[in-house]
Amino acid sequence: MTAPRDYEIFEAGDVTLQGGAVFPRLKLAYKTFGTLNAAKDNVILYPTSFSAQHADIEWLVQRGGALDPDRYFIVIANQFSNGLSSSPSNSRDMLGAARFPAFSYYDGVAVQRRLLVERFGVTKLALVYGWSMGGMQAYHWAARHPEMVERAAVVCGSARCSPYNHVFLEGVKSALTADPAYRDGRFVAKPTAGFRAMGRVYAGWAMSHEFYREEVWREAGFTSLEDYLAGSWDTTFARRDANDLLAQIAIWQAGDISRCDEFGGDFDRALAAISAHMLLMPGRTDRYFDMRNNEDELGRLVNARSAALHAIPSIHGHRAGNPVNNAADRAFINAEISALLQR
Amino acid sequence: MTAPRDYEIFEAGDVTLQGGAVFPRLKLAYKTFGTLNAAKDNVILYPTSFSAQHADIEWLVQRGGALDPDRYFIVIANQFSNGLSSSPSNSRDMLGAARFPAFSYYDGVAVQRRLLVERFGVTKLALVYGWSMGGMQAYHWAARHPEMVERAAVVCGSARCSPYNHVFLEGVKSALTADPAYRDGRFVAKPTAGFRAMGRVYAGWAMSHEFYREEVWREAGFTSLEDYLAGSWDTTFARRDANDLLAQIAIWQAGDISRCDEFGGDFDRALAAISAHMLLMPGRTDRYFDMRNNEDELGRLVNARSAALHAIPSIHGHRAGNPVNNAADRAFINAEISALLQR
């Protein structure tokens, strides 16, 4: 007996991807919260982050919080390759012996848009909210569909994958693929050592110098640094399919709002296309989504209705943007998003 | 035919290590430059850094430079496990089936001291100069033998391995050991994927956000980021024995000047034992030897003849302290060391 499925599927049919491949019977998994109002102007789109599925991030949807289901119709879109939407792990029936093709954020945004328009008749988004890879999707939405996006909150995200972020991911990827289960470009079994290596590499990038110096992990009940690393990181990625993770990293590394026919690689032009109220909310101590990237972007949002950079004053590194067990950062984010939704 | 050996060996005999094991016929490899003067007061000790052998760091020894062989008698001490001094890779004859025991910085400093006293009759060091793990050894020297050390330059090093530094090394180690050649706690063959993973993880930590943003790698003739990573990092560690590297990481992670009977883990007391002129020279953008560690230490050097923290104003991350191809950082270091030697 399996648990009842707590999400819906949008069947997108055969979809031509940005890279040219046609993906047969493409599926987008999503979950909604709250009620779409008659004016259809209370929609918040909330795409998933790296390795996450909707269940991992839906905690932020709560009454009285930033993403309040009593007021908003909230749609969590599972990004491609996350194991619920079409992914290497669930596409064998569709692809046969063919390799899983490269997806991009543009592909994800295009299908998310079809979901909103075709299934719900939605043509305006009160807010696109995203953390990390979700924030990159929010940025892509704002640049690609300015007519639809009234507000975008980019939390520990950026308009393109910076070189340093790229190098971080090279470390993660090479640690994972050093495992003996990686053969001829794909995983043939679960990479136990690779998952552990990936987790420990991630541990140093996701959290900050101050987080470790001040032993903040004690707040979660861990009694030693090794205890924390083993308990929090060694098995973090083992919940997921390793080929799915690699496919997500590829989307992340290639992420760039200007990488499409419309903008032709002109980053300034892509940023200038954005008309939404933009809130860039980096973590002060985030290392791979470094706030300097957002600072570079801010001055180029020349056509945004408003553009602000409010860094989360946290020592929780990249995790400041997903403060599941961190009341101070959660309060900061909730207050900022509530204010954004008033604009 | 093999190349003539360009270094000497100090045969230390059977040595009881800090951890209690007796290491039979322990060998310390070293190389000297310049001439010991009659007063024996022109000695600079220069221990090696992680993965390095003397040939990798001797470029800093040059006429007119900070470490000037026309004026000083410079001794480069190869640290244990670096492949020249006693190491997992060269100790099979001595150890038989026994495992290579844990070494500490204290063990290294103790044997280096015997080399200086027994072979050269040296009882004063004008300077201990070290970068990275070499800087940690310089700190250990200053705390353990204040009567011998007149000056110490700790370049991108620290008095103990900080928690963040420890986590960085966990990532490096787990990436290396994810390789299929790692079995039952040791490498049974050369870990090709592991070396590459270790190199790519290192690439993100050794250099800075700004280094990558400004594409400083172009100065070395690389034409793309991938070209730089492949050319500079994928094979960096493959020159070395993987078991040797693991043994060095263990020394690094356990490094702490207070971890000995004399100081009993009292970090403040260990720092207060130092009487040398201390120059802490972190890299402004070094990530694992973060300058905040040196800032914490500085105020506790209460008995130092002088204590200064002069950060290298560089975007070369940890490599600012080993500026082989970087004239600006080299000039900064040379000027600082020349001034230190005048004190």
Side-chain angles (χ1 to χ4, degrees), chain B:
Chain B
M1 209 178 114
T2 53
R5 204 177 68 181
D6 74 336
Y7 60 91
E8 309 295 319
I9 292 286
F10 175 71
E11 302 277 357
D14 297 352
V15 172
T16 302
L17 303 177
Q18 193 183 23
V22 176
F23 197 100
R25 287 177 285 145
L26 187 66
K27 293 177 201 310
L28 173 64
Y30 67 96
K31 185 174 178 182
T32 67
F33 302 81
T35 307
L36 181 62
N37 65 12
K40 298 189 175 186
D41 65 358
N42 70 332
V43 184
I44 295 178
L45 178 67
Y46 181 17
T48 58
S49 50
F50 178 67
S51 175
Q53 297 178 347
H54 61 271
D56 299 307
I57 64 166
E58 66 183 38
W59 67 272
L60 198 64
V61 179
Q62 50 185 297
R63 286 187 170 183
L67 310 183
D68 187 341
D70 282 354
R71 302 180 54 193
Y72 292 97
F73 179 62
I74 300 150
V75 182
I76 300 188
N78 285 277
Q79 75 168 332
F80 292 118
S81 297
N82 85 334
L84 297 183
S85 291
S86 290
S87 306
S89 64
N90 63 19
S91 296
R92 274 177 287 274
D93 292 350
M94 274 68 81
L95 294 176
R99 279 183 100 88
F100 192 81
F103 276 69
S104 68
Y105 284 125
Y106 270 84
D107 296 320
V109 167
V111 180
Q112 288 168 22
R113 182 171 182 277
R114 284 186 50 204
L115 162 71
L116 294 169
V117 173
E118 296 174 22
R119 180 148 300 178
F120 298 111
V122 165
T123 56
K124 288 277 181 196
L125 292 170
L127 171 66
V128 188
Y129 178 98
W131 171 60
S132 196
M133 283 187 83
M136 296 182 85
Q137 290 171 76
Y139 235 133
H140 278 73
W141 260 100
R144 190 81 182 85
H145 301 293
E147 77 293 351
M148 282 184 74
V149 179
E150 304 197 357
R151 300 170 193 83
V154 177
V155 184
C156 303
S158 60
R160 62 181 168 191
C161 183
S162 75
Y164 202 46
N165 198 336
H166 180 92
V167 173
F168 153 60
L169 291 169
E170 284 301 304
V172 166
K173 209 166 64 177
S174 59
L176 180 61
T177 58
D179 191 282
Y182 185 70
R183 295 198 203 131
D184 303 322
R186 59 186 296 275
F187 290 94
V188 296
K190 216 169 172 67
T192 308
F195 276 138
R196 182 175 179 277
M198 178 179 176
R200 293 211 168 207
V201 170
Y202 231 98
W205 284 86
M207 313 312 288
S208 73
H209 174 87
E210 297 96 318
F211 176 88
Y212 287 108
R213 186 185 58 192
E214 298 178 18
E215 302 188 343
V216 177
W217 40 262
R218 289 194 189 277
E219 292 173 8
F222 295 106
T223 56
S224 71
L225 178 53
E226 175 58 27
D227 184 30
Y228 165 71
L229 293 174
S232 261
W233 291 101
D234 283 359
T235 58
T236 287
F237 298 105
R239 300 178 302 154
R240 299 288 174 244
D241 178 272
N243 291 307
D244 288 357
L245 293 175
L246 281 189
Q248 287 176 72
I249 291 174
I251 296 172
W252 182 347
Q253 288 189 308
D256 180 342
I257 59 168
S258 73
R259 187 176 290 186
C260 61
D261 290 343
E262 187 179 352
F263 302 123
D266 185 334
F267 192 60
D268 285 345
R269 191 148 67 89
L271 285 164
I274 293 173
S275 62
H277 292 285
M278 292 295 290
L279 174 60
L280 309 182
M281 202 152 45
R284 187 184 58 79
T285 54
D286 193 337
R287 297 211 20 253
Y288 45 99
F289 282 104
D290 192 294
M291 58 183 286
R292 286 170 283 195
N293 301 320
N294 291 150
E295 289 167 354
D296 285 347
E297 294 157 2
L298 189 66
R300 303 172 191 205
L301 292 168
V302 290
N303 294 312
R305 258 164 280 179
S306 68
L309 188 160
H310 294 167
I312 310 169
S314 168
I315 64 172
H316 285 261
H318 185 64
R319 289 280 183 87
N322 187 36
V324 186
N325 297 309
N326 174 347
D329 294 348
R330 190 163 61 232
F332 183 91
I333 291 172
N334 279 343
E336 287 287 340
I337 298 302
S338 297
L340 175 64
L341 285 166
Q342 303 304 315
R343 264 175 226 147

Side-chain angles (χ1 to χ4, degrees), chain A residues 17-19 102-107 136 140 143-144 159-162 166 249-271:
Chain A
L17 303 177
Q18 192 184 23
F103 277 69
S104 68
Y105 284 125
Y106 271 83
D107 296 320
M136 295 182 86
H140 278 72
R144 191 81 181 84
R160 61 182 169 191
C161 182
S162 76
H166 180 91
I249 290 174
I251 295 172
W252 182 347
Q253 288 189 308
D256 180 342
I257 58 168
S258 72
R259 189 176 288 187
C260 62
D261 290 343
E262 187 179 353
F263 303 123
D266 185 334
F267 192 60
D268 284 345
R269 190 147 68 88
L271 284 164

